[in-house]
């Protein structure tokens, strides 16, 4: 349970809030590169942590992320034309470059000096792993580029999707580190989902619904170990790294690709759920890529032309009560991603955590909240913030059977902190 104040502290991400300040210290994934496919292509709205921004790729291929609204009289530059190294407001023709500088102000003679004084808010962007990232923090504190393992592999080894989730980022993130719900909510995936089937771990997941959690810190966040009964004398460990401030890496199943998420606030009531699959040492197969594109595993299908899932709150997530009654689907919703999202959205835009009753399997959630609050406070106090140094994101998930007396981090260290390109540690 959290007090209302603490809940607000964790969930509020606007500029000027403690958590908003912390999250702005990190590069944020904002768009798929394919959303800005070519120089001078149409701009894209980017609502992010309560700010309203617009992104564009200029004639020279440079990326701009600037205030959505024209400095003249507030027209949305989403209506603007992206032309000759700048975006031109269609109302009176003021034009801005990728730094937000007004470079043309046709309604007034340049000698007045107005044009050179006009500069919109702008943020730096980079492109890596088919994703455009932005940095919204203090200019002097820009961290090293993202170095999560999935950002370092070749495009052939990687699949990235995103979807709108209609709730606060924290309750989505909390689903990502809650290994205990998998046995209940996603039970059908063990048998049906082509990106899940064939793992010995599935059986352990199904048979032991009372996982024991152990949590250990590492430089980039927390290693959240969920222990279930495994083969004779062994425990089956699923180890999920939570990487500051919003990343998770999902433990693998058999030889399937690894999964991962980023939960990035749009505003306090919405977030982008980024879903990633990658394999550290082989290309994805055509069948895997097809399954991901078809909404299997942690991906979804969409309302055409949007990133809104086809199953969403407006259509009750296409709930199938018969499939629920038969026991095939725990909540009647198809697909791992929407099974999660439907329930997380059902908690309301911001879960009222003053009413929750946490139990032992919520240990990872408690530890993550504590780390986030500690880091937000450290940032406010001008102290070092965890997860920002080069190398802090060098970690991978693991699924492993270990003898009863083996510490999970020691037993899996070679898999958790493996070199790029090596075989995952998986069961
Ligand atoms: S509102 Fe944009 S140029 Fe006038
Ligand atoms: Fe889930």
């Amino acid at each position: 349970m959290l007090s209302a104040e603490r809940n607000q502290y964790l969930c509020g991400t606007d500029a000027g809030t403690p958590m908003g300040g912390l999250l702005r210290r990190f590069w944020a994934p904002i768009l798929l590169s394919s959303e800005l496919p070519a120089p001078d292509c149409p701009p894209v709205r980017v609502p992010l942590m309560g700010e309203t921004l617009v992104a564009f790729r200029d004639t020279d291929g440079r990326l701009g992320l600037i205030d959505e609204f024209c400095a003249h009289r507030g027209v949305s530059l989403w209506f603007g034309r992206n032309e000759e190294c700048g975006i031109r407001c269609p109302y009176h023709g003021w034009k801005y470059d990728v730094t937000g500088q007004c470079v043309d102000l046709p309604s007034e003679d340049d000698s007045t000096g107005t044009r050179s004084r006009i500069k919109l808010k702008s943020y730096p962007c980079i492109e890596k792993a088919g994703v455009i990232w932005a940095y919204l923090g203090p200019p002097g504190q820009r961290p090293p580029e993202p170095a999560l393992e999935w950002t370092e592999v070749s495009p052939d080894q990687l699949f990235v999707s995103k979807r709108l989730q209609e709730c606060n980022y924290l309750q989505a993130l909390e689903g990502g580190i809650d290994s205990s719900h998998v046995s209940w909510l996603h039970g059908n995936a063990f048998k049906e989902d082509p990106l899940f089937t064939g793992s010995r771990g599935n059986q352990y997941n199904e048979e032991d619904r009372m996982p024991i959690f152990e949590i250990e810190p590492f430089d980039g966040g927390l290693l959240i170990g969920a222990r279930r009964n495994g083969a004779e004398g062994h425990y089956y460990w699923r180890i999920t790294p939570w990487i500051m401030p919003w990343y998770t890496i999902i433990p693998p199943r058999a030889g399937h690709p690894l999964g991962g998420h980023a939960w990035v606030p749009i505003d306090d009531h919405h977030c982008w759920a980024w879903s990633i699959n990658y394999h550290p040492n082989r290309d994805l197969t055509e069948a895997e890529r097809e399954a991901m594109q078809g909404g299997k595993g942690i991906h979804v299908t969409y309302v055409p032309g949007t990133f809104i899932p086809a199953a969403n709150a407006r259509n009750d997530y296409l709930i199938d009560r018969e499939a629920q009654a038969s026991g095939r689907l725990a909540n009647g919703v198809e697909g791992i991603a929407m099974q999660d999202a439907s329930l997380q959205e059902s908690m309301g835009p911001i879960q009222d955590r003053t009413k929750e009753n946490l139990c032992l399997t919520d240990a990872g959630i408690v530890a993550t909240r504590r780390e986030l609050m500690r880091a937000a406070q450290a940032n406010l106090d001008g102290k070092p913030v965890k997860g920002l140094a080069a190398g802090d994101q060098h970690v991978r998930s693991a699924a492993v059977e270990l003898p009863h007396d083996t510490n999970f981090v020691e037993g899996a260290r070679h898999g958790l902190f493996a070199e790029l390109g090596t075989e995952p540690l998986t069961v």
Side-chain angles (χ1 to χ4, degrees), residues 45 49 111 117 121 307 315 330 358 396 406-407 411 414:
R45 293 186 193 95
M49 295 186 258
S111 61
R117 273 201 312 276
K121 173 169 78 176
F307 291 99
N315 55 27
L358 298 181
R396 190 193 271 178
T406 303
N407 168 277
H414 60 293

Side-chain angles (χ1 to χ4, degrees), residues 69-75 77 89-96 107:
F69 302 106
C70 179
H72 180 212
R73 279 169 50 211
V75 158
L77 293 170
C89 178
Y91 211 10
H92 314 92
W94 293 22
K95 180 176 168 182
Y96 305 89
S107 48

Side-chain angles (χ1 to χ4, degrees), residues 172-205:
L173 166 64
E174 289 182 350
I177 53 176
D178 163 23
S179 188
S180 72
H181 78 273
V182 177
S183 308
W184 286 100
L185 183 60
H186 307 311
N188 70 304
F190 299 140
K191 297 184 190 72
E192 297 175 15
D193 194 299
L195 298 166
F196 253 62
T197 49
S199 162
R200 201 160 67 243
N202 295 351
Q203 185 195 334
Y204 303 140
N205 260 109

Side-chain angles (χ1 to χ4, degrees), residues 327-369:
R328 188 177 81 76
L329 297 176
N331 76 332
V333 173
E334 293 283 356
I336 295 164
M338 293 319 298
Q339 288 167 354
D340 283 326
S342 58
L343 300 192
Q344 290 158 7
E345 291 179 4
S346 79
M347 299 165 173
I350 299 181
Q351 184 202 346
D352 181 355
R353 293 182 175 79
T354 66
K355 292 181 177 160
E356 67 185 3
N357 293 282
L358 298 181
C359 68
L360 291 177
T361 56
D362 298 312
I365 288 171
V366 172
T368 302
R369 290 177 187 172

Side-chain angles (χ1 to χ4, degrees), residues 238-319:
R238 293 183 61 73
I239 307 170
T240 304
W242 165 68
I243 307 167
M244 283 278 286
W246 43 42
Y247 301 104
T248 54
I249 310 291
I250 305 166
R253 292 183 187 275
H256 296 304
L258 274 64
H261 289 294
W263 319 96
V264 181
I266 292 173
D267 55 33
D268 292 350
H269 292 178
H270 302 83
C271 64
W272 289 120
W274 289 84
S275 299
I276 298 102
N277 274 126
Y278 74 103
H279 202 288
N281 66 344
R282 68 163 170 84
D283 292 352
L284 301 185
T285 66
E286 218 159 283
E288 285 169 341
R289 215 169 266 285
E290 236 168 69
M292 291 164 194
Q293 261 148 4
K296 299 294 184 197
I298 53 177
H299 307 280
V300 298
T301 55
Y302 300 96
V303 174
T306 75
F307 291 99
I308 300 167
N312 60 59
R314 260 76 54 201
N315 55 27
D316 284 331
Y317 307 93
L318 306 172
I319 192 166

